[in-house]
Amino acid sequence: MSDILNLDGSGAANTAGEKKETNMTCPACFAELLAGLELAATPQFEAAELSRIAFSYASPTLTVAVEKSPEVVDENGEKQWKRVEVTLEDHVNVPIFPSGLSPESYDNYLDEYISKIGMEEFAKSRPLWEIHIFKYPTTSAPGVLIFKLHHSLGDGLSLRGALLSCLQRADDPSLPLTFPSVQLPSHNRNGGNNNSILKILPKIFSVVSKTVSDFSWSVTKSTVVEDDKTPIRSGDDGVEFRPINMATMSFSLDHIKKIKANVGATLNDVITGTIFLGTRLYMQEMSKESSKAQSTALVLLNTRVLRSYKPVKDMVEPNAKTPWGNHFAFLHVSIPPLTDASSSNPLEFVFRAQQIINDKKSSLAVYLTGQLLEILKKFRGPEAVAKYIHGTLKNSSMGITNLIGPKEKMSLANHPVKGLYFTVVGAPQSICIAIVSYMGVLRVAVGAEKGFIDAKRLKSCIEKAFQMMLEVVCQKIDQQSTE
């Protein structure tokens, strides 16, 4: 998976002490990342333009992995990537479909194509990235570019850097893209009573207690205890090799901020609560008993300390503060059950999400998880890490991952980018939810096991959950204005 829900809204897990980062490069360790750029016009690229786009995407990462094949060789007892030549034609694909069909028909073709390329393994003799150009109008856009990257090369933040290396601002390419501001948590540095032993000891005890509880539960969930089989978790072996259905939805950041301001929560609290409520509504529709089943969301955390966007050239520098690669840990977050109280007041799911996330902030479980993965890698090799992560994913019900996108409209070779989304394929879970912001809109993509989960119905339930929350908040605002 990619770097995901930022518990403190900063892009970094809010844990004390030095953060040990996980940077694993075994090609068997990860699934694949797919990013879709919805273009405002039918993509028509000249050969020279196509070459420039492809190598703009690849060149920033040549020094780390993209020019390296998945074949590994032993060197001084350690496995190393094998360098190979890059042949453009091997990496750019333009599928052909019947012409003159309706946008709805091309929606189906695009879904099938994404599912198809998501199931296909990368060739073991060439670099682990591809570009797919879908030149047919869907209901969302006149054309779509799909970037496929093996997760062993980097996480979502790395993928974002590679993508942005070949994109420019549509209004003025000479200006840099900007991103929503990031605020790292402030720490009280005042002396006096705030640092008295009577105040510090209870906090230390609380941190230790929560850390032991969270970390032990995380290890147990990763190795022994599985979630219940429900309408969102088949629990079958080999689910990562099955086709998926895709569904995407958009939420206004202004609407999310309205809910956030009313309940005193964060943006992460609101969108997490929305996803949890929508998921439980879907589970109830499919099987009423499952609305209270034991279900866990695996929340992956970017462990870099991010204050602002860093270009790839900075990420690949030695000892970079925002390094390229896979730098993450993960948390198990229980999906709250659907109760009568939460059904009558949907904001309860936001409050529950806020409570869970705040508890995780005061735990060092993320740090210990990162340490555990590093120990596994050091003494048992990357394959052991891959096995542990595979078990972690398989035993949970869903994964949630997010990225922060630019505020301005982007363009690709003078093709304006209308929309942006990404997803993760090849993970041993029946459902993965990926979130990215772009131009004041939050785009949520659902990748679901085909034939088991109705992705469009789940999408409808998540949209219904958000609308329920927004209506409650609007009613409160109206009541306050009339008092």
Side-chain angles (χ1 to χ4, degrees), residues 144-412:
V144 180
L145 256 69
I146 304 166
F147 293 80
K148 180 180 177 181
L149 177 75
H150 198 282
H151 216 318
S152 63
L153 302 182
D155 52 24
L157 197 73
S158 301
L159 172 63
R160 183 184 73 173
L163 280 177
L164 295 182
S165 67
C166 55
L167 294 166
Q168 307 85 30
R169 279 181 59 156
D171 58 345
D172 188 345
S174 65
L175 296 177
L177 292 165
T178 62
F179 296 80
S181 60
V182 172
Q183 293 182 346
L184 293 178
S186 59
H187 301 281
N188 192 333
R189 298 181 180 179
N190 295 329
N193 293 333
N194 287 335
N195 293 324
S196 67
I197 191 67
L198 295 179
K199 288 183 177 291
I200 292 176
L201 282 179
K203 291 181 180 179
I204 294 176
F205 177 80
S206 176
V207 169
V208 172
S209 176
K210 290 178 180 178
T211 298
V212 171
S213 176
D214 288 346
F215 182 66
S216 60
W217 187 53
S218 176
V219 173
T220 302
K221 287 290 295 179
S222 295
T223 57
V224 180
V225 179
E226 296 185 13
D227 277 0
D228 297 333
K229 292 186 177 182
T230 65
I232 64 168
R233 181 178 183 269
S234 66
D236 296 340
D237 291 331
V239 67
E240 62 266 37
F241 304 114
R242 295 179 180 176
I244 64 169
N245 277 331
M246 281 285 298
T248 65
M249 64 203 88
S250 300
F251 301 105
S252 166
L253 280 176
D254 288 338
H255 288 167
I256 296 175
K257 290 176 181 177
K258 180 180 288 188
I259 299 174
K260 165 184 174 290
N262 188 268
V263 300
T266 66
L267 292 177
N268 279 334
D269 297 336
V270 175
I271 194 61
T272 305
T274 299
I275 291 171
F276 283 175
L277 176 57
T279 300
R280 285 298 188 185
L281 291 174
Y282 172 82
M283 295 170 68
Q284 185 180 55
E285 286 187 9
M286 304 303 292
S287 172
K288 190 170 184 180
E289 296 77 16
S290 69
S291 62
K292 296 182 180 180
Q294 174 61 47
S295 298
T296 307
L298 188 69
V299 177
L300 303 187
L301 298 167
N302 164 46
T303 58
R304 304 170 180 89
V305 178
L306 298 176
R307 294 182 182 272
S308 61
Y309 164 70
K310 298 294 183 183
V312 174
K313 63 181 180 65
D314 293 341
M315 297 175 71
V316 299
E317 289 291 329
N319 302 317
K321 292 184 178 179
T322 307
W324 175 276
N326 285 290
H327 299 269
F328 65 85
F330 44 78
L331 287 177
H332 293 87
V333 180
S334 294
I335 302 176
L338 188 63
T339 63
D340 292 337
S342 57
S343 296
S344 59
N345 181 15
L347 295 178
E348 279 294 320
F349 266 79
V350 177
F351 296 136
R352 292 293 301 278
Q354 183 182 39
Q355 180 183 12
I356 293 171
I357 291 174
N358 284 340
D359 285 343
K360 301 299 181 183
K361 286 182 181 180
S362 56
S363 167
L364 302 180
V366 174
Y367 170 75
L368 292 181
T369 299
Q371 290 278 27
L372 175 61
L373 295 178
E374 280 294 325
I375 292 171
L376 284 174
K377 179 187 175 186
K378 181 177 180 179
F379 292 102
R380 298 181 59 188
E383 289 83 1
V385 178
K387 183 177 179 180
Y388 186 87
I389 294 177
H390 184 278
T392 301
L393 294 166
K394 185 178 183 297
N395 290 352
S396 59
S397 294
M398 69 161 64
I400 306 176
T401 172
N402 74 0
L403 284 173
I404 299 174
K407 296 189 292 184
E408 299 86 11
K409 176 174 282 190
M410 303 180 293
S411 68
L412 179 70

